[in-house]
Amino acid sequence: MSVATRQFWTLAAQDLSDKRGLWELMPAGTTLRSVDTCWMVIRGAAEERMLNARGGRTSVRCPRGTLIGASALLSQEIDGYARLLQPSVLVSLDRSELIRLLCHRRFGPELRERLLMLRFPRRSPQVRVLAEDADRIRLYNPKTGTRGELNELGCFLWRHMDGHHTLEQLAQVLGMTGTRPRNDRLLDLTRRLCEAGYIEITELDGLTRDP
């Protein structure tokens, strides 16, 4: 368990004390679908399945200290549901409470990073490839006039960002080759590609900028 998750476990009762009446014990096999609520797993585990408007799909395990349904609550382009893998204690959070939790000084950064890794980036259709080989791509965005050259990691991301795979799925592919970068490096490069207009990405309201 990560340091941030242990900190959440220690502080959850205090930080969410006003929500204690909404803590629920649910049996294994319960299906949850986010409409105007998401959940924090206090005890137990779930499997969350998400899809985006372009048909991209992913499945993630949600252990203690993680969020269920947060991506769907923060974006109209993402839908999904979760199934509890074991009897679980959950606390429900509305949109404003979720954003407050994600801005928490101690464990907010890790929770935000997890949600950002579950976004579905895709190549911008207007971008032109000026030159390409195995480990180098030169791009031109006629809308902004931006030209740039991608390194080896950037080339991999550009070729695989099709709107059907999350950043976490791409990181797992890199891990199979022994070249998985740290999540913060992957997210930083993704942000720079987005700022240059080379890719498009599903924005999560409340996570578009660091608090």
Side-chain angles (χ1 to χ4, degrees), residues 16 19 37-38 67 73 91-95 97-98 101:
L16 299 175
K19 302 287 293 180
T37 302
C38 70
L67 295 162
L73 188 59
V91 58
S92 59
L93 301 166
D94 63 24
R95 185 189 184 91
E97 291 166 331
L98 169 61
L101 183 63

Side-chain angles (χ1 to χ4, degrees), residues 20-26 39 43 88-92:
R20 183 174 290 280
L22 297 179
W23 289 28
E24 300 177 76
L25 174 61
M26 297 184 181
W39 298 267
R43 186 174 73 238
S88 301
V89 175
L90 309 176
V91 58
S92 59

Side-chain angles (χ1 to χ4, degrees), residues 74-193:
L74 293 172
S75 174
Q76 296 181 348
E77 295 186 26
I78 297 176
D79 192 12
Y81 67 92
R83 182 176 61 86
L84 297 184
L85 301 176
Q86 54 190 260
S88 301
V89 175
L90 309 176
V91 58
S92 59
L93 301 166
D94 63 24
R95 185 189 184 91
S96 62
E97 291 166 331
L98 169 61
I99 292 175
R100 176 171 64 88
L101 183 63
L102 294 173
C103 292
H104 194 286
R105 179 174 57 84
R106 294 196 185 185
F107 46 80
E110 179 175 311
L111 296 175
R112 292 198 307 275
E113 179 179 283
R114 178 178 170 86
L115 291 182
L116 291 170
M117 290 294 292
L118 296 177
R119 295 194 294 179
F120 295 85
R122 68 169 180 169
R123 296 179 294 275
S124 297
Q126 73 270 15
V127 172
R128 301 174 187 171
V129 177
L130 300 178
E132 180 176 4
D133 55 33
D135 57 4
R136 183 181 68 94
I137 299 177
R138 290 179 58 211
L139 300 175
Y140 171 61
N141 185 342
K143 185 176 180 179
T144 63
T146 305
R147 297 173 185 264
E149 183 171 317
L150 305 183
N151 60 17
E152 186 176 359
L153 177 58
C155 289
F156 173 86
L157 294 178
W158 168 260
R159 291 177 176 129
H160 292 83
M161 286 180 169
D162 55 8
H164 295 276
H165 299 88
T166 64
L167 285 172
E168 178 59 36
Q169 289 172 319
L170 298 183
Q172 290 173 359
V173 173
L174 286 167
M176 294 177 186
T177 66
T179 59
R180 174 170 179 157
R182 293 186 349 183
N183 285 354
D184 58 351
R185 184 185 172 205
L186 192 63
L187 288 169
D188 180 64
L189 179 54
T190 300
R191 288 190 185 99
R192 286 189 279 126
L193 291 173

